[in-house]
Amino acid sequence: MRLTVAQALVRFLAAQHSERDGVEHKLFAGCFGIFGHGNVAGIGQALYEAELREPGALPYHQSRNEQAMVHAAAAFARMRNRLSTLACTSSIGPGATNMVTGAALATVNRLPVLLLPGDVFATRVADPVLQQLEDPRAADVSVNDAFRPVSRFFDRVWRPEQLPSALLGAMRVLTDPAETGAVTVALPQDVQAEAFDWPEELFAHRVWHVPRPVPEPAALARAVAAIRGARRPVLVAGGGVIYSEATEALRRLAEATGIPVAETQAGKGSLPYDHPLALGATGATGTSAAVHMCREADVVIGVGTRYSDFTTASRSAFGDAVFVNLNVAAFDAAKHAGVSVVADAREGLGALAEALTGWSVGDGYREEARRLAAEWDETVERAYHLGHGPLPAQSEVIGAVNDVSDPRDVVVCAAGSMPGELHKLWRTRDPKGYHVEYGYSCMGYEIAGGLGAKMAAPDRDVFVMVGDGSYLMMSSELVTAVQEGVKLIVVLVQNHGFASIGALSETVGAPRFGTRYRYRDADTGRLDGDVLPVDLAANAASLGVPVLRARTVQELRAALQDAKAHDGPILVHVETDPLVPAPDGGAWWDVPVAEVSTMDATRQARKSYEAAKVNQRPYLTPPPQR
Ligand SMILES: Cc1ncc(C[n+]2csc(CCOP(=O)(O)OP(=O)(O)O)c2C)c(N)n1
Ligand SMILES: [Mg+2]
């Protein structure tokens, strides 16, 4: 079949499917793209021809920013439990490197995205082409080499003959639950347009089986022995529980054994918030219930978690516990010198439940977990209804959104002070109801991610919680939402600066430096003048989005109701008081403080820092050997 490389690529992608538990999914729901000379004549032409020939095979979506389209693709994949994603095509040079941040986000969060950056001429006939980086020492280097460290698979198709192996390698990694992440296939712009005679079978309907590896019996036995010996075990549920659709298996294991469950950011929603064994958020942004139970735990059973420093409170969360790690990736299962059980979360949890039949923690321990969780929920209730004035506290905004949202609705966030507050305060009622990107915690993900989440789950309402800082970094996909008629409810929390880093700076001895949006003051010469006259509501309205301004919590609740009833994207603007702290679960986070300083605030901060460092553990204790 004689086609260009780009036409062959598009035809191939449209024929790819994933399959798990006997259910088949289209692997690529579509292709985002921004065109330039590096892809318009290649992939652009091919996508257009495909739309005319076979509408729906690989629908094209326009975006405003290459980084944003990768975020949308990653959010889409997360919402679909990694069984479907979107491809992203860019031109060469800046269009390509704009995708590098998105690639890192996808790889850190283990989310499959296929990136197709254009690349320099393979023939070098016109070198240096517009936007080409020239390296005097290495003629085969292009800016796309920057994708290598942030991709789980990288290839560059210098010749048409290489395309089949590049594509098969890419699909394997995208659909491998342990290896998945950003996958980059760089396509020199001349090669994209070059014709070749392809074997017909390259374009056959192809199904990539997404495995559920079962635990090795000996590893399972070691894990069971460690758990049976525990008096105070705690389950730590990570994103793997959700991607593997293991929430039911987790609930059954927890209920049968009485082991309480703490949740990471990616694992939040593993149990509904009001389950008697749900401790809620764990780690640095944890609830007092999870913080206490983790600190006192003797065995920590991590399921589908990569143990980020927020989860381990920088290795201060878990006293002298030993670890049992159930993870589909051996890399994560081996962490903290734990008993490594390499398996799919659902398979592994089922096997653990069976092997632990008849075993349970004591009644007192179950009761302790239930009581502490109930106490935290009272804290949440108070935070939702603080009645702070004149401007509301952020926790009241979170409470209002939680109350107005339906149980299956989705909250999306990524950076700022909201992820931590959402982690401990959001009452999650559905496994897919909480979508906070906290692996890369990338400012600017929120609106783009919300777009991808909504595209993946049109039957749910998506509430995007975005700070003014994140909004200013990337609000461009509001235009895409308008263009595609995608209903997003964006809640823009205006506090005139980086409140999160402001609060952090207080604790590390650089009080509020560089974190407020202020004029440069003529007298001090510093950025501590008046508040900048920024009106982000007007900005959103200028992009074609209807805007509701709320000044009080009451107005906010009414605006959210109206927004929910509205069809299409809408933005609710609310100003909050950046100085109200959220309730604290009592955990710590390691951010090193200057060891010497002439400032008293810094010296005090260093003292507190050194005192807290004492609680850090190496987590090297081997589990009991049997
Ligand atoms: C791309 C990126 N740059 C910098 C940071 C560091 N950072 C984390 S939160 C934050 C401020 C976010 O401001 P805003 O969205 O207004 O939220 P707020 O802190 O006010 O709640 C910054 C600069 C980041 N996470 N991502
Ligand atoms: Mg802010």
Side-chain angles (χ1 to χ4, degrees), residues 67 101 394 414-419 440-444 446 466-471 473 493-502 515 517 578:
Q67 180 184 329
T101 295
Q394 189 165 277
S417 55
M418 275 189 285
Y440 211 45
S441 186
C442 184
M443 287 172 75
E446 294 85 353
V466 60
D468 53 316
S470 267
Y471 182 93
M473 217 173 259
V493 177
Q494 170 62 276
N495 56 23
H496 297 282
F498 303 155
S500 52
I501 309 301
T515 61
Y517 289 176

Side-chain angles (χ1 to χ4, degrees), residues 46 70 256 280 365 430 438 561:
V70 185
Y365 187 66
D430 179 272
Y438 215 62
Q561 297 280 10

